[in-house]
């Protein structure tokens, strides 16, 4: 593990202990309804809890994090790029353990290898009725990934520098259910990262520590 990667982790951990950018940074990457359309972002009373993991690791002189392209299925996030994670289960204890358990199930990284730096702001995802808690972790080497083919169609090893690069940010007009919206997204490795995942990454990239990546 390089000195630069250690420095980045130290600054990131310090940022996560301080007040977070929160909704302002998240909503910088949120779809923007056209005039006359409004979206209610208040969580429903029956919202489920979910945990996802942003896992940093060093490789070939760069800092990476894994993203996954989800398999096609009947849910609202079918075929989308996301972070490893999923719904809380009673045996988890807390949402950090949810994120670690799901990461092991989906991409095969053992929780015992992962150090926890902190958490970002929770985000309510209305289409799936999940309150998502992002956890930020690290591992000191490129993991040996073992993909669950039932859940994951493709592993995307994303250099953090690609997400930072403004040339990889786009905005397009999409038809989202009953409205047209301006949709910001990250475009990397021929994949589109939008919606809740882009909003979570938007808050991450607003942290001062990113300048050390």
């Amino acid at each position: 593990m390089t000195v630069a990667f250690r420095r980045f982790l130290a600054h990131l951990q310090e940022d996560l202990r301080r007040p977070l950018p929160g909704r302002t940074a998240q909503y910088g990457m949120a779809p923007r309804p056209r005039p006359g359309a409004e979206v209610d972002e208040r969580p429903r009373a029956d919202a489920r809890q979910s945990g996802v993991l942003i896992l940093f690791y060093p490789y070939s002189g760069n800092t990476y994090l894994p993203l996954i392209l989800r398999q096609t299925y009947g849910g609202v996030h079918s075929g989308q790029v996301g972070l490893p994670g999923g719904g809380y289960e009673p045996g988890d204890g807390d949402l950090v353990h949810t994120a670690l358990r799901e990461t092991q199930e989906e991409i095969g990284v053992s929780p015992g290898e992962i150090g926890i730096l902190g958490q970002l702001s929770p985000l309510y995802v209305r289409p799936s009725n999940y309150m998502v808690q992002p956890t930020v972790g690290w591992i000191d080497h490129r993991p040996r990934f073992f993909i669950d083919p039932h859940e994951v169609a493709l592993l995307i090893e994303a250099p953090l520098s690609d997400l930072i690069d403004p040339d990889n940010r786009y905005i397009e007009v999409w038809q989202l259910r009953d409205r047209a919206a301006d949709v910001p997204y990250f475009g990397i490795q021929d994949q589109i990262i939008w919606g809740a995942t882009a909003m979570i990454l938007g808050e991450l990239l607003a942290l001062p520590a990113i300048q050390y990546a």
Side-chain angles (χ1 to χ4, degrees):
M1 187 166 60
T2 66
V3 171
F5 186 65
R6 288 181 184 275
R7 183 171 64 246
F8 166 64
L9 295 179
H11 284 285
L12 184 55
Q13 185 172 46
E14 185 63 27
D15 285 351
L16 294 171
R17 290 172 175 162
R18 296 172 176 167
L20 296 167
R23 179 169 293 196
T24 299
Q26 290 173 340
Y27 277 69
M29 292 300 293
R32 304 180 184 101
R34 292 302 210 189
E38 297 181 357
V39 179
D40 185 358
E41 299 297 345
R42 292 173 298 178
R44 287 167 38 185
D46 63 345
R48 288 195 63 198
Q49 298 297 308
S50 173
V52 299
L53 183 67
I54 299 171
L55 178 62
F56 289 113
Y57 61 92
Y59 180 58
S60 296
N62 294 306
T63 298
Y64 281 75
L65 66 153
L67 299 166
I68 59 173
L69 177 64
R70 300 200 175 277
Q71 289 285 10
T72 301
Y73 63 102
V76 296
H77 300 302
S78 170
Q80 294 182 7
V81 174
L83 293 157
Y88 174 84
E89 296 182 358
D92 289 339
D94 59 35
L95 290 172
V96 172
H97 286 85
T98 299
L100 293 173
R101 173 182 55 76
E102 288 282 348
T103 295
Q104 183 173 33
E105 291 175 4
E106 293 179 342
I107 62 175
V109 184
S110 171
E113 296 185 273
I114 298 172
I116 301 301
L117 297 171
Q119 294 179 307
L120 291 170
S121 303
L123 175 67
Y124 178 58
V125 184
R126 177 162 291 276
S128 56
N129 194 33
Y130 271 104
M131 180 63 78
V132 180
Q133 175 61 66
T135 293
V136 183
W138 66 281
I139 186 170
D140 65 3
H141 58 278
R142 179 176 179 264
R144 294 184 63 194
F145 294 107
F146 299 95
I147 306 306
D148 178 357
H150 297 290
E151 296 195 57
V152 179
L154 178 69
L155 172 71
I156 303 157
E157 294 188 72
L160 183 55
S161 58
D162 282 1
L163 295 171
I164 296 171
D165 188 346
D167 288 341
N168 291 329
R169 293 196 186 195
Y170 305 86
I171 299 179
E172 293 181 349
V173 178
W174 293 3
Q175 186 67 34
L176 299 179
R177 294 179 294 280
D178 58 350
R179 74 188 195 277
D182 294 320
V183 178
Y185 65 89
F186 300 96
I188 63 170
Q189 299 180 27
D190 297 321
Q191 301 295 329
I192 291 175
I193 306 164
W194 73 287
T197 301
M199 293 171 70
I200 291 168
L201 293 174
E203 184 182 29
L204 172 74
L205 297 177
L207 297 175
I210 294 302
Q211 66 182 297
Y212 296 97

